[in-house]
Amino acid sequence: MLVNYFTSFRFVPSCLLVAISHMVAGQTPLPIPDTLSGPVIDLSVVEGTREFLPGEPISTYGYNGDLLGPTLILNQGQEVTLNVTNTLPDLTTTHWHGLHVSPENDGGPHSLIFPNTTWSPSFTVLDRASTFWYHPHGHGLTDYQVSMGASGMIIVRDPLEAALDLPRTYGVDDIPLILQTKAIVDGQVQLHTGLDSVVLANGVRNAWKELPARIVRLRCLNGASERTFLLGFSNDMTFHVIGTDGGLLEAPVALDRLRLMPGERAELLIDLNSLEGQEFQLMSYASELPNNIVGAAQVGNGMATLDGYDDNALNGADFSLVSFTVSAPLATGTTSLPLALVPTNSYDVADVDVTRPFTFQPQAMDPMGMIEGPFLINGDLMDMDVINETVTLGSTEIWEFTNNTMVGHPIHIHDIQFNVLDRNGLPPEPWESGWKDVVFVPSMGSARVITRFDDFADPDMPYMYHCHLLMHEDEGMMGQFLVVDPNAIAETDALDDLQIWPNPSQGGTVQIGMAPMSGPAVIEVHDCSGRRVHVQTVGASTGPATLDLVGLAPGAYRIVLLPADHRLRHAATTLIVQH
Ligand code: C2O
Ligand code: CU
Ligand code: CU
């Protein structure tokens, strides 16, 4: 470390080198969200208040608290049930952004949670170790509810990640950072893009955190509604990207700047071994953002601009997101950068079955429409009753995005992780070579991604793809796709012969008879609110299986048979329990 620059707006005391453990006046300790883990996780969306500026309480939303929510820690391979209770006076949903789950468990706009009810998705965690997040996703409601504060981080752990020498002491050398800007005007959170002047890290302004003089991991999530950050450090240090949306990279990638768009995550390693006593900031160097990205100096190339855009001091300016002070090293902790991480096994264009084009264009082709929207995808706005695309289970596809608008869009696909093939015809940068679920599609440009749709065929329930600028999404820059299994139809008939006796049951054991199956299956029992109350596996057999239902309360239950061979459709029937 040769020079220590302080480029933020903040006063830096000259006694810095002795006063290392003290915050600068006006700073707020970075809150570290609590964690929740285990097989059952309870979340409540609640109303609250928060003083972003002293003496000015603002109404907010949060999960299990006034603002944001706990960090969910999930282990690959575990079963988890999430009970999400809606205490808001409005409809909501909770989407597990980036997780590979069935459409029923995904929390998209069709999984509405009515006020004072609980939604209880239940699934196996299939994802690679990475940083994901959760947020409301009701159609037309996302921007408001996320802006009010409802979102949280998800950390997935897996054995490959656990075997690496990486910092993973949560809140100490593995720091969750939810980076956002908010528009607060007249004592209220506003949706007006141009007015987002409050910069927040984990929900507080002027956040400050002490870090050990070791290798430190920053899990950065852009949870803002519209604004892109160009991350870098005020002391000009190089940092290493080790992971993106859906997993670790093959090796750390050294960078000075990282573009992080709404919805995107990146895990960074910073080497603080020789920086004890120093202070620096995580900055957004928006002055260096190319134009036509929300947050840059200009959108619209001078032809038009968004209302309030030019007056917003953050646009095109460099600003601090979090201040850090480096304290004494931990006794344990990571001291050196790993050389290699995990194999990514990216998808191969040689396997592609389908190339699917998506073109974005403004609804109104005037200069304002070109930057303001609403924006159409393939000529359409989102319609809850229209399935826009149908994908065959197991197929490998290229999704090709062409952006005929004057603003860049971060495009997100549910269900899967993808690899970025190219942008404007050029290969992506090395940090973008891993697993992604959001891709930057530049204005008047294009991007192509490759993915495969394994698991979770459902003939009725769609997944979403959309722009993650939440105003664009809410205004209809979103579409729905089904994943279908063409082989399932014939099998369905056979498997639909699911018989249960006795039915009604007195609550003891019941017998389940089913059509011959070539492989094992899982039998699940769901109660009337969709909660899974019993699960057991049955082998490949033709005989009836015995299900032990002792302890089930009287009521109606749905018995679902899920063959391990996911090309087979599930079978279901209703069981009545009466005592
Ligand atoms: Cu983060 Cu469909 O959303
Ligand atoms: Cu998502
Ligand atoms: Cu957009």
Side-chain angles (χ1 to χ4, degrees), residues 244-258:
T244 51
D245 304 342
L248 293 172
L249 298 174
E250 301 211 323
V253 174
L255 283 182
D256 298 319
R257 296 287 186 264
L258 175 74

Side-chain angles (χ1 to χ4, degrees), residues 287-341:
S287 66
E288 300 167 24
L289 272 179
N291 281 337
N292 301 331
I293 292 177
V294 175
Q298 256 187 35
V299 285
N301 273 356
M303 286 173 18
T305 195
L306 295 168
D307 197 14
Y309 195 86
D310 296 335
D311 300 331
N312 187 325
L314 295 180
N315 291 330
D318 301 342
F319 54 89
S320 168
L321 292 156
V322 197
S323 289
F324 296 110
T325 309
V326 185
S327 59
L330 302 167
T332 57
T334 305
T335 51
S336 59
L337 284 168
L339 296 174
L341 297 164

Side-chain angles (χ1 to χ4, degrees), residues 226 360 375 405 407-411 466-473 477:
E226 309 260 324
F360 315 144
F375 297 111
T405 82
V407 58
H409 304 279
I411 299 298
H466 58 90
C467 178
H468 223 289
L469 301 190
L470 300 182
M471 182 192 274
H472 296 180
E473 175 194 332
M477 194 178 181

